[in-house]
Amino acid sequence: MWEITQQKLKAAAKFLDEIPSGLPGKGTSNDEYWRQFIRAIPYKLYTQQKIESFADELQGVTGSPSLKLLLDLRQRGFSYEKFLECLEKIKCYKALNLFVQSTVPIINVDPQPQSVRIGGTIVLHCEAVCTPPPPQYQWYWGDTPLRNQRSSRLEIYKADVQNAGVYKCKVTNPRIVDIKHNHSWSNLAKVEILKFPIQETVNHKPIRSDTETDMSSRGGIFAGDIEIVKQPVNTECRFDEKFHLHCEAKSKSGKHLSYTWKREKPGRVTVMHTETGTSSTLTSSWKNHDTLLIYCEVKHADGSSEEVVTTDKVKVTVHSIWFEEQPLDIDGFIGESALLYCKAAGKGHIHYLWLRSEQLNGKKERIPNVAFADDGIFEFRSLGQKDWGYYTCQAQNIDGFISSNTVHVQFQTKNQQNLCIEVQPESYVTTQGHSLQLVCKASPKQGTEYQWYHNGNQVRDGKEDTLILSNISDSDFGKYQCSVRNGGQFKQSREVKVVRGSYIETTRMNNTQSSQIEAEHTFTFKSQGDDSPDILYAREKIALLIANQNYEREDIKSLNSPHNDVKLLKEQMEKMGFKVFAFFDLRYNEVMEALEKICRKLDAWMYVLLYYSGHGFQHQNVDYIMPVDASFPIQCDACISVDHITYKLQKTKSKVFVFFDCCRVNYESDKVVSPSSTSHPTQYIGYANLYKILSCSASNPAYERISDTCSVFNRALRKAFEERKSVQQLGFDVTKDMQDNGQTKNGKEFQRPVIMQQLGSSEITLHEDIMKDTWMRDTHVEEIHTNIEEPLRDISIQAGGHLFGKITFNFIVSNTLIVKIILRKAKCECIISTDQLESQKLCVKRNVDGTEIKIVGLQRLKDLKLELNFHIKANTEDGEVAKDYPVIHSLDELK
């Protein structure tokens, strides 16, 4: 701190002499900032007499109590970090900005447009970063700020038509005093409220009579009139607060429903609330620390049937004690006094007990001769070696205890200057052959030692404050960090990255950008003309298409169009330059294996597209796709969550485009088994490399168009792919086409896609040219597409010198083969032996006259060897001729 110039010190004192603006009692104090600063010091440093001596400066030579205070703190060796911490605590941002450069918030995640039915929940999310401090959020409906909506997540329960409109979020850095330049606005998110219930199909019946529509639903896997549309979710509250649980259901026959909320106790069940309507909200409170197990039973209000549907059981955790103020670290001097302080609130009388450990994550032990106290103060009368360590406070009442944050107590001698890193290293994106310098400077300069690390390993010559990387090679890319030592003090710089890019010039980035640069990077080809637009391109484009149509269990209905959906999309993807891997009817382990093999071949310079067509559902706000071996009741552990798929793909840092054409219906709890704790957890990655479209909104079904033998969503998606356009425009076109063409004859729309975009550039398209950079050494891209669909040569059927026809082979997708027998002469027959295939549980379908067979599931072949035998019988002038044509074909798998 005390390297600060006298001019800057006087400027800070000027601001500390001021009285905060605002009225007393409205969150501000009537005391000057400098008095608040003294109270913010975590240990008692000045007596009241000393404080008043500062006030006497108003009549003195300088006329500034704050300047005298700051000069005294410099003489006492008050740490620079504590000085900034106290300024932050009293919110004297004018003074703080003299020493710390704050940045305007950068929005990484924008709220997305959505459609919500009446009574549903609107959920909007916005994420931003700034340095320092953390950003503050304020949500707006149009130009009107929403009261008490100041978190990154906006939730509006029981949405009504009056909640429709355009929402946006203002993200502010409170430390920047200039109100015109201290904030950023998110993109606009349009929220539409659907005023009518969404119809659906049970079994194979259309959603209305055949005279109204030719659509059928991919929902309706199970029968039943009552369906839970929105499940209650786990929640927490304090013992003196109310909690809210919400449930929404619908009757397919349009009957009124009755909701009964029940609490489950050991050995008995208690009714908490009953009401009728389209939805129900339980509002209650609890006086004790407890965990309540609550569920809702839904049945017909008129008692016309005995059908009862039960929601998932949810936990309501009621807290009777919590922390209002957490303790702070102490960085003091040997022999001086210091205080640790925390404050808890809750039910009844609260006692405090401090625990100590010599390691951050070590076992905390009770401090000798320290008993329970009635306040959260722990005093160090004279800091010494025995006091060094990590401290935690336990606050206890009659119901139990909670633990505070862990803080660090450390100290130094008075004549020793604090070790401080003044210049942090920065991240770079560069290319091979370039040179750059990483710089880390610390004070005091005398006696300070440096050691650079690359990917966790010591750099042999990295013992100076500057690390020079000359003629950068492949081995130089990675993570860098510098360790600084001076006497007994030790500090580490921030971790930075040197990553490979295609920029012509070496470009400096901030730390947030460097952590995402590979995932967000898009190749750009620079045109020669200055005014010519940049051309985006990819190093490879891969597509994985999955169609699950024929389900193996009889109690899960098969669908009509997924196979055709994928065949049509496969043709279009190949025209757009994608290497396509398409599969029909995959089981759970086959979906996971295909996903894993694709991910192994991806890197940050590729585009990957995944399309799924088949059954799906939603459970506990998580979307799942169903493999063809799914069982009944549905086991979530035997299905694959959409979040897990996107997580695996995003983790490769490729540009990820995913399209899920399946239902998102919530089924009754007795038909779905919740996931176990060992199943794939919901994981998220902050990379801006994902573009996702779900074919329908939450809790709703998806539809397939019987007359077109394709789904409503598939038709709109293929139409949008016909022209080169940005993915942002692609989503708009898909939505518009489904609105214009995906309606029943009475004009009510029934399916609306949900779009989520997290891409670094909104100009990205799926039509990018594939171009290789000469400086890239990776060549495995050219080998990625091992041709699993290598065509089999046609076989001519010949006997006795006569040509009777031929046998043709056509891989329509990667694991499905069509074999056709074309006979040119009468009195000739061809018999195909498929016993070997059927023994390996492949699906083999023949046409009526046996001249065509369809083989599905080639990925299940042992050693990927396709073996067929064709037996030919024909009558010739020389008599009957018989001949066998064996076919053995090796199928290459993804390596």
Side-chain angles (χ1 to χ4, degrees):
M1 168 186 176
W2 311 123
E3 298 295 328
I4 299 171
T5 63
Q6 190 75 7
Q7 183 180 1
K8 188 174 288 189
L9 207 62
K10 288 181 179 180
K14 178 182 177 182
F15 294 130
L16 286 171
D17 283 335
E18 296 177 356
I19 297 177
S21 59
L23 297 175
K26 296 290 184 180
T28 61
S29 171
N30 202 27
D31 288 336
E32 300 93 332
Y33 276 120
W34 68 269
R35 290 184 183 271
Q36 296 183 44
F37 183 93
I38 293 174
R39 291 198 294 268
I41 299 174
Y43 47 89
K44 188 174 180 180
L45 192 62
Y46 297 111
T47 63
Q48 188 61 35
Q49 182 179 0
K50 183 67 173 177
I51 294 173
E52 294 306 319
S53 70
F54 294 146
D56 292 340
E57 284 297 309
L58 287 171
Q59 288 78 39
V61 177
T62 64
S64 173
S66 302
L67 183 57
K68 184 175 181 180
L69 170 64
L70 296 179
L71 293 173
D72 187 78
L73 289 173
R74 179 166 64 179
Q75 186 176 359
R76 289 174 177 263
F78 193 74
S79 74
Y80 181 64
E81 288 79 8
K82 288 298 178 184
F83 170 68
L84 297 180
E85 193 176 284
C86 291
L87 288 178
E88 178 78 44
K89 191 172 183 180
I90 65 175
K91 299 181 179 179
C92 186
Y93 296 134
K94 290 182 180 180
L96 191 60
N97 287 336
L98 294 172
F99 308 101
V100 180
Q101 184 63 44
S102 298
T103 61
V104 177
I106 299 173
I107 295 178
N108 291 332
V109 178
D110 281 298
Q112 299 298 316
Q114 58 184 264
S115 299
V116 180
R117 293 187 303 170
I118 289 181
T121 301
I122 300 172
V123 180
L124 297 173
H125 184 60
C126 178
E127 284 186 10
V129 294
C130 64
T131 57
Q136 294 180 356
Y137 299 84
Q138 173 62 59
W139 286 93
Y140 284 74
W141 179 67
D143 294 325
T144 305
L146 298 177
R147 187 178 180 184
N148 297 327
Q149 297 297 343
R150 296 188 178 92
S151 69
S152 60
R153 185 180 177 90
L154 171 65
E155 295 186 0
I156 301 177
Y157 298 98
K158 289 189 174 182
D160 201 349
V161 289
Q162 64 186 11
N163 299 121
V166 176
Y167 291 79
K168 59 185 177 181
C169 187
K170 180 181 180 181
V171 188
T172 306
N173 186 336
R175 187 176 287 178
I176 301 177
V177 181
D178 184 358
I179 60 175
K180 293 184 179 180
H181 303 93
N182 68 345
H183 62 273
S184 299
W185 289 96
S186 72
N187 291 341
L188 302 181
K190 185 178 180 180
V191 175
E192 296 181 318
I193 306 298
L194 305 181
K195 302 179 183 179
F196 46 85
I198 295 177
Q199 304 292 326
E200 68 174 85
T201 299
V202 179
N203 298 327
H204 293 285
K205 297 179 182 179
I207 58 175
R208 292 187 175 85
S209 66
D210 293 334
T211 59
E212 290 183 318
T213 181
D214 67 340
M215 308 294 179
S216 67
S217 166
R218 292 187 174 178
I221 298 177
F222 313 109
D225 183 63
I226 301 174
E227 179 183 331
I228 301 294
V229 175
K230 185 173 180 60
Q231 294 275 3
V233 295
N234 297 336
T235 187
E236 298 182 12
C237 68
R238 297 174 180 176
F239 78 98
D240 57 350
E241 293 179 343
K242 291 184 178 181
F243 63 85
H244 307 276
L245 296 177
H246 181 72
C247 172
E248 184 179 339
K250 69 177 181 180
S251 168
K252 298 172 186 176
S253 61
K255 295 180 180 180
H256 292 289
L257 299 177
S258 173
Y259 298 80
T260 303
W261 291 91
K262 296 184 177 182
R263 180 197 173 201
E264 187 177 279
K265 302 178 183 178
R268 64 191 180 114
V269 175
T270 304
V271 176
M272 301 182 70
H273 176 65
T274 301
E275 67 175 300
T276 59
T278 58
S279 64
S280 176
T281 299
L282 171 67
T283 301
S284 184
S285 61
W286 207 251
K287 296 296 184 183
N288 301 313
H289 178 84
D290 207 343
T291 300
L292 312 180
L293 198 60
I294 299 174
Y295 61 93
C296 184
E297 289 184 351
V298 186
K299 59 185 179 181
H300 291 119
D302 58 4
S304 58
S305 72
E306 297 181 356
E307 182 181 0
V308 178
V309 178
T310 304
T311 66
D312 298 336
K313 294 177 182 177
V314 295
K315 292 181 179 181
V316 179
T317 304
V318 183
H319 300 283
S320 68
I321 184 172
W322 57 91
F323 277 103
E324 291 186 339
E325 292 189 46
Q326 293 281 358
L328 300 173
D329 291 340
I330 291 178
D331 187 2
F333 297 96
I334 291 178
E336 286 195 345
S337 61
L339 290 178
L340 285 173
Y341 171 74
C342 65
K343 182 181 179 182
K347 181 181 178 181
H349 190 69
I350 298 176
H351 299 277
Y352 300 84
L353 179 66
W354 287 91
L355 306 175
R356 176 181 171 274
S357 171
E358 291 187 358
Q359 297 181 356
L360 178 59
N361 298 316
K363 182 180 178 182
K364 303 293 190 296
E365 297 179 350
R366 187 167 176 174
I367 303 173
N369 303 320
V370 175
F372 284 94
D374 293 332
D375 56 35
I377 298 176
F378 183 76
E379 182 179 4
F380 299 93
R381 300 198 177 191
S382 178
L383 284 172
Q385 190 65 36
K386 64 181 185 343
D387 299 316
W388 189 95
Y390 296 88
Y391 289 75
T392 301
C393 184
Q394 286 186 354
Q396 305 181 23
N397 65 1
I398 58 175
D399 289 335
F401 72 90
I402 56 172
S403 297
S404 72
N405 296 340
T406 299
V407 294
H408 189 200
V409 175
Q410 56 184 338
F411 42 82
Q412 57 185 309
T413 58
K414 281 191 177 182
N415 58 356
Q416 184 179 5
Q417 185 179 346
N418 277 342
L419 179 63
C420 176
I421 295 180
E422 296 179 336
V423 179
Q424 293 279 3
E426 295 179 308
S427 297
Y428 288 84
V429 56
T430 186
T431 59
Q432 295 183 23
H434 281 244
S435 300
L436 59 84
Q437 295 181 354
L438 298 177
V439 179
C440 176
K441 291 185 179 294
S443 63
K445 296 181 180 179
Q446 187 174 359
T448 300
E449 300 174 355
Y450 297 87
Q451 177 61 61
W452 286 91
Y453 292 83
H454 177 216
N455 293 331
N457 301 315
Q458 285 189 5
V459 178
R460 182 182 301 176
D461 299 325
K463 298 186 181 297
E464 303 293 334
D465 57 6
T466 301
L467 179 65
I468 300 175
L469 302 179
S470 301
N471 193 22
I472 290 175
S473 65
D474 218 19
S475 60
D476 293 320
F477 295 110
K479 300 176 181 179
Y480 287 85
Q481 194 170 28
C482 185
S483 296
V484 183
R485 293 182 182 274
N486 190 308
Q489 299 181 79
F490 169 82
K491 286 188 180 293
Q492 283 188 312
S493 73
R494 65 185 176 196
E495 185 179 80
V496 297
K497 295 179 181 178
V498 176
V499 296
R500 180 167 44 198
S502 62
Y503 299 105
I504 297 174
E505 297 294 335
T506 299
T507 306
R508 182 178 298 178
M509 304 178 303
N510 62 40
N511 214 38
T512 302
Q513 291 172 322
S514 68
S515 66
Q516 300 184 8
I517 183 64
E518 285 187 284
E520 297 180 7
H521 182 63
T522 301
F523 279 125
T524 304
F525 177 76
K526 297 289 184 181
S527 302
Q528 292 183 355
D530 294 336
D531 298 330
S532 301
D534 293 342
I535 301 174
L536 303 178
Y537 64 97
R539 194 154 61 93
E540 187 59 281
K541 299 192 293 189
I542 310 297
L544 173 60
L545 314 181
I546 300 174
N548 284 349
Q549 177 171 309
N550 301 310
Y551 284 76
E552 296 176 357
R553 289 185 60 97
E554 294 181 357
D555 47 11
I556 297 180
K557 76 172 188 181
S558 293
L559 298 170
N560 299 316
S561 70
H563 284 184
N564 205 46
D565 290 343
V566 162
K567 284 169 58 180
L568 295 171
L569 189 60
K570 174 178 179 287
E571 295 173 2
Q572 197 158 15
M573 290 289 98
E574 289 173 338
K575 292 178 182 178
M576 294 164 60
F578 277 80
K579 301 293 186 182
V580 180
F581 298 91
F583 296 93
F584 287 172
D585 302 334
L586 295 186
R587 297 170 179 169
Y588 175 86
N589 63 328
E590 293 165 354
V591 175
M592 298 301 290
E593 185 177 7
L595 182 64
E596 188 66 32
K597 288 180 177 178
I598 286 290
C599 288
R600 263 184 275 171
K601 293 298 182 183
L602 298 174
D603 64 27
W605 320 106
M606 298 185 187
Y607 286 8
V608 58
L609 180 146
L610 182 140
Y611 173 86
Y612 169 81
S613 179
H615 273 314
F617 64 100
Q618 190 178 71
H619 183 66
Q620 296 178 349
N621 295 322
V622 177
D623 293 301
Y624 293 87
I625 64 171
M626 293 175 60
V628 294
D629 59 346
S631 59
F632 175 79
I634 295 177
Q635 307 279 336
C636 287
D637 287 346
C639 299
I640 303 103
S641 76
V642 168
D643 290 336
H644 178 70
I645 294 172
T646 55
Y647 171 77
K648 294 283 288 184
L649 293 173
Q650 276 192 275
K651 198 175 177 182
T652 66
K653 300 180 182 178
S654 302
K655 282 288 184 300
V656 179
F657 307 88
V658 290
F659 306 92
F660 293 96
D661 192 4
C662 57
C663 294
R664 301 176 68 195
V665 176
N666 282 284
Y667 292 108
E668 297 86 346
S669 58
D670 61 331
K671 295 174 181 174
V672 180
V673 179
S674 297
S676 65
S677 58
T678 58
S679 66
H680 301 299
T682 300
Q683 295 174 296
Y684 301 95
I685 280 185
Y687 298 148
N689 66 330
L690 174 65
Y691 183 84
K692 177 170 69 176
I693 300 184
L694 301 170
S695 67
C696 59
S697 54
S699 305
N700 290 317
Y703 293 84
E704 50 191 15
R705 189 184 297 273
I706 298 173
S707 60
D708 287 353
T709 63
C710 70
S711 74
V712 177
F713 176 70
N714 181 273
R715 179 185 179 278
L717 188 63
R718 287 186 291 107
K719 184 177 179 181
F721 281 159
E722 290 175 357
E723 298 179 11
R724 184 185 183 109
K725 59 188 67 175
S726 68
V727 290
Q728 185 175 10
Q729 184 62 42
L730 175 92
F732 294 149
D733 289 354
V734 170
T735 303
K736 186 178 186 303
D737 186 82
M738 293 179 70
Q739 288 175 342
D740 295 342
N741 301 291
Q743 298 181 338
T744 57
K745 289 190 176 181
N746 61 9
K748 290 185 178 180
E749 61 184 28
F750 55 84
Q751 184 175 343
R752 181 181 294 274
V754 176
I755 302 169
M756 188 186 78
Q757 178 175 333
Q758 294 178 344
L759 288 175
S761 171
S762 60
E763 297 303 317
I764 292 173
T765 80
L766 292 173
H767 292 260
E768 318 291 23
D769 296 327
I770 297 175
M771 301 174 68
K772 310 295 189 296
D773 275 82
T774 57
W775 51 268
M776 299 292 281
R777 288 189 178 180
D778 298 342
T779 58
H780 76 271
V781 178
E782 299 176 3
E783 304 167 1
I784 186 172
H785 192 56
T786 309
N787 198 348
I788 201 170
E789 299 168 30
E790 181 183 359
L792 284 161
R793 293 181 180 179
D794 293 348
I795 298 176
S796 297
I797 303 174
Q798 295 180 344
H802 299 278
L803 179 65
F804 292 98
K806 67 177 181 178
I807 304 169
T808 64
F809 305 87
N810 178 29
F811 285 91
I812 57 174
V813 293
S814 301
N815 70 331
T816 301
L817 175 66
I818 297 290
V819 182
K820 286 186 179 181
I821 304 170
I822 302 173
L823 300 176
R824 296 182 177 180
K825 292 192 177 184
K827 298 181 181 180
C828 177
E829 65 176 287
C830 178
I831 301 173
I832 306 175
S833 174
T834 58
D835 295 341
Q836 180 262 349
L837 301 179
E838 292 171 337
S839 67
Q840 296 189 49
K841 298 183 179 180
L842 271 70
C843 177
V844 180
K845 296 182 179 180
R846 300 173 183 264
N847 64 353
V848 176
D849 57 6
T851 58
E852 180 178 314
I853 65 170
K854 180 180 181 180
I855 307 170
V856 182
L858 295 176
Q859 76 279 2
R860 298 169 196 159
L861 283 172
K862 184 178 180 181
D863 299 325
L864 290 179
K865 294 283 187 181
L866 173 64
E867 297 182 18
L868 294 171
N869 189 63
F870 299 86
H871 182 70
I872 305 297
K873 285 184 180 181
N875 291 324
T876 66
E877 297 174 353
D878 301 325
E880 185 178 83
V881 176
K883 191 173 182 179
D884 289 330
Y885 290 88
V887 174
I888 300 178
H889 185 67
S890 178
L891 301 170
D892 296 325
E893 69 168 333
L894 289 173
K895 296 179 181 179

